[in-house]
Amino acid sequence: MATSSGMARLLRDLSSRSGPGLITGDPLECARILGVDGVAVSLSTDGALSEVVWSSPGVSERLEDEQFMLGEGPGVESTVSCEVVVEPDLALIRPGRWPVLLPALAGMGVGALFCFPLRIGGVCLGVLTAQRALAGPLPPAAMDDALILAAAVTAVVLDGGQGAERFAAGEGTAHLHRAVVHQAGGMISVQAGVTVAQALVLLRAHAYRYELALLRVAEDVVARRLRFDHIGDGSGPSFERRG
């Protein structure tokens, strides 16, 4: 499997681990090399996408958040199956496959998606997702580059070097921006008397209902501006603006 000269440069950047995050290298440059509009890497926990660690800004960030919030999409499928998921034309996907995500993708202007698992043996550590507005397959050279990049990112995640240590410590841009989501899930679990898994469903449902960013809703819960302790009586979450 051959690597393009551009991808070779990007892989050298990844191996240098010179940046503050877990994964170094420019995601916008990566997207240009692959011939797509954006890329993202999300790690998984217990078979579900849990944290974006590398992403080009804009649509790719929104796509990862939508998949995390809805629990459906190509990245979720790739994580669960530990297989490559290639969808070069989203207009051809049956609506029941991703019933909520597909309309959101159309609104974002996404026409094609390509997901590559971060695979070690039979375990999937996360997924590399490339998205493009125009429908159509990736050229063979770009597919090769994406597969090689996914393997390189997997090695970085497993490396345990300084970049991973900074990431684990939450320093700089390596801060786990979704840690607040899990913290909010724990708080909702206590407030509503439900399991943490059910609490995360409540959190996602509230964000989806009011078309809010999941992170914003979680921050409101952690800051005690939003509470879910009235769920049982049918009155729904309560919101109080403080400060």
Side-chain angles (χ1 to χ4, degrees):
M1 189 181 293
T3 307
S4 70
S5 59
M7 182 55 63
R9 291 194 300 273
L10 182 65
L11 294 177
R12 286 195 293 273
D13 289 341
L14 289 177
S15 64
S16 72
R17 296 172 177 82
S18 58
L22 176 63
I23 302 172
T24 56
D26 183 358
L28 289 174
E29 175 67 8
C30 176
R32 187 194 65 77
I33 292 167
L34 294 178
V36 297
D37 295 321
V39 297
V41 171
S42 286
L43 300 186
S44 64
T45 303
D46 297 328
L49 298 180
S50 61
E51 183 64 33
V52 182
V53 293
W54 194 61
S55 178
S56 51
V59 172
S60 285
E61 289 181 333
R62 290 172 56 198
L63 170 61
E64 296 305 294
D65 281 340
E66 288 287 341
Q67 292 190 95
F68 174 74
M69 182 171 68
L70 299 174
E72 64 180 38
V76 176
E77 290 184 0
S78 184
T79 299
V80 172
S81 67
C82 215
E83 299 290 341
V84 174
V85 174
V86 174
E87 294 297 343
D89 190 347
L90 297 187
L92 301 179
I93 295 178
R94 56 180 176 81
R97 183 175 173 186
W98 308 323
V100 184
L101 182 66
L102 278 176
L105 291 174
M108 285 185 251
V110 178
L113 284 166
F114 313 91
C115 296
F116 305 87
L118 310 183
R119 181 169 52 200
I120 179 72
V123 177
C124 185
L125 305 178
V127 64
L128 164 70
T129 298
Q131 57 82 18
R132 190 175 59 203
L134 296 177
L138 282 181
M143 284 292 292
D144 286 349
D145 277 347
L147 290 166
I148 291 170
L149 176 62
V153 170
T154 303
V156 170
V157 172
L158 291 171
D159 179 68
Q162 290 184 353
E165 289 173 2
R166 287 195 295 268
F167 175 78
E171 296 178 11
T173 59
H175 177 64
L176 287 175
H177 75 277
R178 282 189 184 150
V180 67
V181 173
H182 299 288
Q183 184 180 357
M187 293 174 66
I188 293 170
S189 174
V190 174
Q191 292 168 7
V194 298
T195 67
V196 172
Q198 292 170 327
L200 289 173
V201 170
L202 291 174
L203 185 70
R204 292 171 180 169
H206 184 84
Y208 182 75
R209 177 181 179 185
Y210 294 101
E211 298 182 349
L212 299 171
L214 186 67
L215 193 61
R216 175 183 167 185
V217 178
E219 288 171 345
D220 280 337
V221 172
V222 172
R224 294 176 172 79
R225 293 188 292 264
L226 178 65
R227 297 185 59 85
F228 285 74
D229 46 4
H230 301 299
I231 294 296
D233 60 19
S235 61
S238 59
F239 187 85
E240 178 182 354
R241 175 61 63 185
R242 298 180 181 176

